[in-house]
Each structure stands twice: as structure tokens, then as C-alpha cells.
Amino acid sequence: MVMYKLIAFDAYGTLFDVYSIGTLAEKLFPGQGKALSLLWRDKQLEYTRLISLADPNPLGSQHYQSFWDLTIAALHFSCAQLKLDLSPENESTLLNQYAQLDSFPESAAVLEKIKTTGIKTCILSNGNHQMLSWANQSSGLDQFLDRVISIEEVRQFKIMPSSYQLVLNYYPIPKDQILFVSCNAWDIIGANWFGFDTYWVNRYQLPFEEIGKKPKYSGSNLNGILNYLDTNQSTLQ
């Protein structure tokens, strides 16, 4: 049975609830909050793929823009498509909320429990360092993480191999001793192809994608990781 030395977490949608911003969006744009939050997220991810696919150079895409810049651009596009009047005040309110996203209810407790086992924990995220710093500090999760890794360092977004390689650059340990955790099925596929074991956080009870290798583990939230670790507690300590 594999004993993991490191658990690497995606950030947005996995530790931080990107769709919680829909509540605020609904207050600002009644009847359109959910549509705005969904389109905003989809467009944000689409922009990351455009940038990496257009120039997959492992040394960095010449088209690279920070995830924060793409978040702003995606908000502008989404409001234009939905024909919402995005005033400077509303834009500032939404972006400030995005910078301080809520963490999921179980995120802190799960990270704290993993820390007690001696297993290292890190974040590997498309988010740039400033965004991740804002989110980790406002949520208090930073105290439970050994390292926060941003793809900003290679200027290539997930699922490019160079983005996952960053984990090995910081932790020179065998791939099969690393567990990668994400709520995004596309991220799970990318990590699987790279060679990591994966845990898919299927928060919305979706079917897995029809291509790619399925995750080694899955659960409806992060607590499922603890269920697995608890069965091996004596060997992890």
C-alpha cells in the first residue's frame, strides 16, 4: 500500500469556494447571480487554456497573463455577455470578494488533521502568488500549509506538464508518494497523466469525464481523504 509523503491541493473550487461569490453577485444583479458566477468561472478557465495552448513552451507562454488579470478580463466579458452594467463600484466589490473567497467548511480541519500525520501539504494553483496570499490569509489556511506553489513560476497553466512538475521541483520525491487533490475533473486528468495518484473532490455529484484515467480515490468533500488516512494511521505517524 502506498504511503504518501505529500498531498498537493488545488486551490479554487477545492479549498476555496469560487461559487460562493454567486451570493454577492445575486445581491448586485438580482436574478443573474448564479449565471454570472458560472460564466465568470468558465471564461476564466477558458482564458488559461488559450494562453497555454497558443504557446506550450515549457519555458513559459509568451501570451502569459496573471490569473488575477484573467479573472478581471473574465468578469468584464461575462457582464458584457449577460448585458449587466458593471459599475466601477460593483466591479471593486466583486473583485474584493474574489480576493477573499470563503474556504469550504471542512478545509481547515482536514488540513490540520493531515498535518498531525507528518505528511507534507502544499497548494498547486493557477492563481498567482498575490491572489493565493490574499485567500490563504483571509481564510486562515496558511498555518496548515507547508508551501504555496503558483504556476506563475513557469508561466504555463494547468494542465501543462510543466505546471505539475513544479511540485517535484520543490519536493524531489517519487511521484507515487504524492497525492494530488482537486475538485476539477480536468485537473485530475492532467495530474493522472503526469503520474500522480489523485483524489477527486466531487462536490456536485457529477459524472467523471469520458476520457483520461479515472481518479484513484474520490469523495463528495475533503473529509474522504481523512477516511483513507485514518485506516492507515499507525503507519503514517
Side-chain angles (χ1 to χ4, degrees), residues 82-188:
L82 295 172
K83 296 180 170 53
L84 303 176
D85 182 16
L86 183 65
S87 67
E89 293 77 16
N90 284 349
E91 178 181 3
S92 178
T93 299
L94 286 167
L95 290 174
N96 285 339
Q97 178 67 20
Y98 205 101
Q100 302 179 62
L101 288 171
D102 297 332
S103 60
F104 286 101
E106 79 279 11
S107 294
V110 169
L111 289 173
E112 183 176 20
K113 179 66 175 178
I114 292 172
K115 196 173 182 67
T116 67
T117 69
I119 299 173
K120 298 291 186 182
T121 58
C122 74
I123 278 177
L124 175 66
S125 175
N126 278 338
N128 48 293
H129 283 296
Q130 183 62 72
M131 284 183 75
L132 294 168
S133 177
W134 289 333
N136 281 317
Q137 290 178 18
S138 65
S139 67
L141 296 187
D142 53 341
Q143 63 184 307
F144 306 120
L145 293 160
D146 296 296
R147 189 179 297 276
V148 176
I149 305 171
S150 168
I151 62 83
E152 184 176 32
E153 298 175 34
V154 291
R155 298 169 64 87
Q156 288 287 8
F157 292 99
K158 294 187 287 182
I159 63 169
M160 300 300 287
S162 57
S163 63
Y164 298 107
Q165 178 63 39
L166 276 169
V167 174
L168 299 181
N169 291 351
Y170 282 104
Y171 298 94
I173 58 179
K175 288 182 182 179
D176 63 3
Q177 294 179 15
I178 297 172
L179 180 66
F180 183 79
V181 180
S182 180
C183 79
N184 301 296
W186 55 265
D187 201 8
I188 291 293

Side-chain angles (χ1 to χ4, degrees), residues 1-3 217 228 231-232:
M1 185 172 293
V2 176
M3 294 293 100
Y217 315 105
Y228 171 73
T231 65
N232 302 285

Side-chain angles (χ1 to χ4, degrees), residues 2-131:
V2 176
M3 294 293 100
Y4 298 109
K5 293 184 177 179
L6 171 70
I7 302 180
F9 292 85
D10 171 56
Y12 297 106
T14 303
L15 296 174
F16 304 111
D17 184 3
V18 291
Y19 296 117
S20 65
I21 202 166
T23 302
L24 173 60
E26 182 64 25
K27 292 179 181 178
L28 299 177
F29 304 106
Q32 294 280 8
K34 182 176 181 180
L36 175 56
S37 65
L38 290 173
L39 182 58
W40 187 2
R41 175 64 169 167
D42 287 347
K43 185 56 63 171
Q44 178 195 54
L45 293 175
E46 181 182 341
Y47 286 160
T48 68
R49 291 162 185 156
L50 285 171
I51 285 170
S52 290
L53 287 171
D55 182 17
N57 189 333
L59 298 178
S61 171
Q62 62 181 311
H63 309 297
Y64 178 79
Q65 296 181 49
S66 75
F67 200 58
W68 184 244
D69 288 340
L70 297 185
T71 298
I72 295 171
L75 173 61
H76 290 173
F77 175 90
S78 300
C79 287
Q81 179 167 317
L82 295 172
K83 296 180 170 53
L84 303 176
D85 182 16
L86 183 65
S87 67
E89 293 77 16
N90 284 349
E91 178 181 3
S92 178
T93 299
L94 286 167
L95 290 174
N96 285 339
Q97 178 67 20
Y98 205 101
Q100 302 179 62
L101 288 171
D102 297 332
S103 60
F104 286 101
E106 79 279 11
S107 294
V110 169
L111 289 173
E112 183 176 20
K113 179 66 175 178
I114 292 172
K115 196 173 182 67
T116 67
T117 69
I119 299 173
K120 298 291 186 182
T121 58
C122 74
I123 278 177
L124 175 66
S125 175
N126 278 338
N128 48 293
H129 283 296
Q130 183 62 72
M131 284 183 75

